[in-house]
């Protein structure tokens, strides 16, 4: 099954809701639309119950701070918290990337969260925004639950530096299906998961390294199920049983085809790079981009290096002042539009990204898969 199939059956579970008439047991979710190019509307059972995250996570959390990029995700997890948390005094602070500013430390200090839940890239940006005078804002945080993105090395470094005593848990889920991983065990590494008891995983078109596209079978409701649904992620199966006794462990490697990268809270999409390259009128024959996160001066920056192969016929058109690399480094950020109005250059000016770096190469090594932009883990 693909996302087009999901589009066709997205609201089919409403018939079960009509029979059950239990609003707390169901939710309607809208996907981001990043993979398919348009959002999908899904009705499904909530997917959190007392045998899973309710018993192990929500009952231990009284005052979470939620860090998610989309309004839909923030609303969904806020709803999960208040539906399944048994403490009548439970409270939550819901934050978006736009809320990460000079006032965040004071706000967190007043709220006194006991847990962080959300996208790791958003959480760590929030953490580095908390200065020393508001360090008490983090003293009560006993757990961090990341979801929606893979945890990188830089994420772990910031978490260990800012909240060294907090336990870090990873959860694998999609908007379409809800949680697909069981509660994390003590023996899996970051980005490794055991399947949720309701879900089955298999890999499609695995390569010689055992990395393939993740296909999931999971129910949406009592009578509606997904079978071999291609979620758009790639991963690999870890051979042998886990020390906890679970027979199945899978590792999330990233998105299929590396078609978009989340970096410092910003989505870099390959098609936007293609448009910027095309604006140079044939000067750039080919390119490879390397994106990474850099932690320096107690702040996380995005960094992007573009390796370019020049078209010999167009190279002579460039003014000799500074050469081709300097010309592209100066112009490319201005032509790389991440939204209709925001350029990459504007993110550099705002201090989200470091200055653009360009290197001219004579050739690229052979790749068995076409990967134009890649996130480098540090």
């Amino acid at each position: 099954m693909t996302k087009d199939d999901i589009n066709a059956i997205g609201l089919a579970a409403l018939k079960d809701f009509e029979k059950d008439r239990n609003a707390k047991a169901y939710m309607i979710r809208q996907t981001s639309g990043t993979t398919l190019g348009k959002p999908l509307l899904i009705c499904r059972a909530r997917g959190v119950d007392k045998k899973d995250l309710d018993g192990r996570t929500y009952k231990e959390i009284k005052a979470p701070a939620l860090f998610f990029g989309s309004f839909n995700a923030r609303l969904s997890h806020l709803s999960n918290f208040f539906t399944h948390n048994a403490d009548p005094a439970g409270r939550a602070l819901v934050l978006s990337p736009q809320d990460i500013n000079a006032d965040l430390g004071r706000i967190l200090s007043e709220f006194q969260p006991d847990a962080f839940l959300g996208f790791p890239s958003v959480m760590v940006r929030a953490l580095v925004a908390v200065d020393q005078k508001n360090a008490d804002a983090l003293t009560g945080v006993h757990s961090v639950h990341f979801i929606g993105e893979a945890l990188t090395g830089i994420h772990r470094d910031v978490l260990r530096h800012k909240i060294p005593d907090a336990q870090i848990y990873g959860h694998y889920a999609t908007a379409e299906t809800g949680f697909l991983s069981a509660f994390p065990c003590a023996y899996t590494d970051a980005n490794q998961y055991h399947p949720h008891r309701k879900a089955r995983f298999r890999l499609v078109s695995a390569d010689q390294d055992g990395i393939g596209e993740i296909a999931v079978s999971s129910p949406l409701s009592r009578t509606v199920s997904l079978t071999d649904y291609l979620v758009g992620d790639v991963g690999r199966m870890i051979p042998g049983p886990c020390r906890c006794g679970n027979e199945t462990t899978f590792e999330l490697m990233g998105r299929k085809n590396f078609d978009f990268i989340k970096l410092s809270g910003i989505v870099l999409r390959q098609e936007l790079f293609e448009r910027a390259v095309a604006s140079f009128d044939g000067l750039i024959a080919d390119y490879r981009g390397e994106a990474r996160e850099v932690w320096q001066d107690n702040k996380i920056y995005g960094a992007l290096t573009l390796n370019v192969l020049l078209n010999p016929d167009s190279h002579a058109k460039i003014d000799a002042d500074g050469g081709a690399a300097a010309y592209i480094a100066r112009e490319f950020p201005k032509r790389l539009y991440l939204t209709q109005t925001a350029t990459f250059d504007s993110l550099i000016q705002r201090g989200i990204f470091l200055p653009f770096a360009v290197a001219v190469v004579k050739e690229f090594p052979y790749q068995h898969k076409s990967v134009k932009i890649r996130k480098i883990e540090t």
Side-chain angles (χ1 to χ4, degrees):
M1 298 181 71
T2 67
K3 291 185 182 296
D4 285 325
D5 297 317
I6 290 285
N7 196 31
I9 67 168
L11 299 180
L14 281 174
K15 62 183 181 182
D16 290 328
F17 167 70
E18 291 174 353
K19 293 178 181 179
D20 296 340
R21 291 294 176 180
N22 181 2
K24 289 186 176 181
Y26 290 84
M27 63 167 51
I28 294 179
R29 286 293 310 271
Q30 179 177 293
T31 67
S32 65
T34 304
T35 302
L36 195 61
K38 59 182 178 181
L40 302 176
L41 202 60
I42 311 294
C43 176
R44 59 171 173 81
R46 187 172 292 277
V48 180
D49 58 41
K50 294 182 179 180
K51 294 183 179 179
D52 301 301
L53 292 179
D54 180 36
R56 301 291 302 277
T57 300
Y58 288 114
K59 284 188 176 180
E60 299 174 1
I61 295 174
K62 309 300 181 184
L66 308 180
F67 298 89
F68 290 95
S70 71
F71 174 79
N72 192 270
R74 293 193 294 273
L75 182 61
S76 171
H77 289 277
L78 180 66
S79 173
N80 277 339
F81 171 69
F82 282 116
T83 299
H84 296 284
N85 183 271
D87 188 351
R91 54 197 175 90
L93 178 64
V94 184
L95 298 162
S96 75
Q98 290 72 34
D99 296 319
I100 301 174
N101 53 43
D103 293 326
L104 181 60
R106 175 184 57 81
I107 293 171
L108 288 172
S109 181
E110 293 176 359
F111 181 76
Q112 288 293 303
D114 65 355
F116 280 6
L117 287 84
F119 297 160
S121 64
V122 181
M123 286 193 288
V124 296
R125 286 179 58 208
L127 283 170
V128 299
V130 178
D131 54 25
Q132 190 60 38
K133 67 180 181 181
N134 291 307
D136 66 313
L138 307 177
T139 56
V141 178
H142 60 68
S143 61
V144 173
H145 300 262
F146 69 89
I147 189 171
E149 297 174 341
L151 189 74
T152 68
I154 192 73
H155 295 156
R156 286 193 296 270
D157 290 344
V158 174
L159 289 170
R160 289 168 180 165
H161 175 73
K162 288 287 191 175
I163 40 177
D165 297 328
Q167 295 293 315
I168 302 174
Y169 301 102
H171 307 280
Y172 184 61
T174 71
E176 304 95 304
T177 61
F179 286 96
L180 291 170
S181 62
F183 191 88
C185 81
Y187 304 106
T188 51
D189 293 332
N191 307 313
Q192 293 182 352
Y193 309 93
H194 299 314
H196 190 286
R197 59 185 178 81
K198 71 175 183 180
R200 292 187 296 106
F201 286 77
R202 75 181 186 91
L203 298 180
V204 176
S205 302
D207 62 16
Q208 65 271 20
D209 299 317
I211 299 173
E213 188 170 0
I214 296 174
V216 175
S217 297
S218 178
L220 290 180
S221 64
R222 287 189 296 105
T223 64
V224 182
S225 296
L226 304 180
T227 303
D228 284 342
Y229 170 51
L230 300 174
V231 296
D233 292 327
V234 294
R236 68 186 184 98
M237 306 304 292
I238 305 299
C242 178
R243 284 185 288 169
C244 73
N246 198 303
E247 295 290 334
T248 305
T249 306
F250 70 96
E251 181 175 8
L252 176 65
M253 310 299 292
R255 297 293 292 179
K256 179 185 177 183
N257 295 331
F258 297 82
D259 54 358
F260 75 96
I261 292 172
K262 290 182 179 178
L263 192 70
S264 296
I266 304 297
V267 174
L268 306 178
R269 295 166 55 193
Q270 182 173 321
E271 64 183 86
L272 303 179
F273 280 74
E274 299 289 347
R275 292 175 187 171
V277 167
S279 73
F280 282 85
D281 298 325
L283 170 65
I284 302 174
D286 202 357
Y287 72 97
R288 299 290 186 272
E290 294 182 350
R292 56 173 53 82
E293 288 177 321
V294 178
W295 186 22
Q296 65 183 43
D297 300 326
N298 201 34
K299 184 177 179 180
I300 292 178
Y301 295 90
L304 185 63
T305 299
L306 196 68
N307 299 305
V308 298
L309 186 68
L310 299 177
N311 186 336
D313 296 333
S314 298
H315 188 193
K317 297 179 181 179
I318 298 184
D319 187 349
D321 182 21
Y327 172 72
I328 296 171
R330 183 173 64 251
E331 293 296 323
F332 200 96
K334 301 175 184 176
R335 306 183 188 189
L336 179 57
Y337 279 83
L338 303 179
T339 68
Q340 289 186 342
T341 57
T343 64
F344 192 87
D345 185 65
S346 68
L347 299 181
I348 296 175
Q349 301 303 320
R350 289 165 54 191
I352 297 175
F353 278 78
L354 294 175
F356 201 73
V358 173
V360 176
V361 300
K362 295 186 179 298
E363 63 180 2
F364 292 115
Y366 170 78
Q367 292 178 314
H368 68 279
K369 292 184 178 180
S370 177
V371 179
K372 291 293 185 73
I373 54 173
R374 165 191 307 273
K375 187 174 183 180
I376 305 298
E377 304 293 352
T378 57

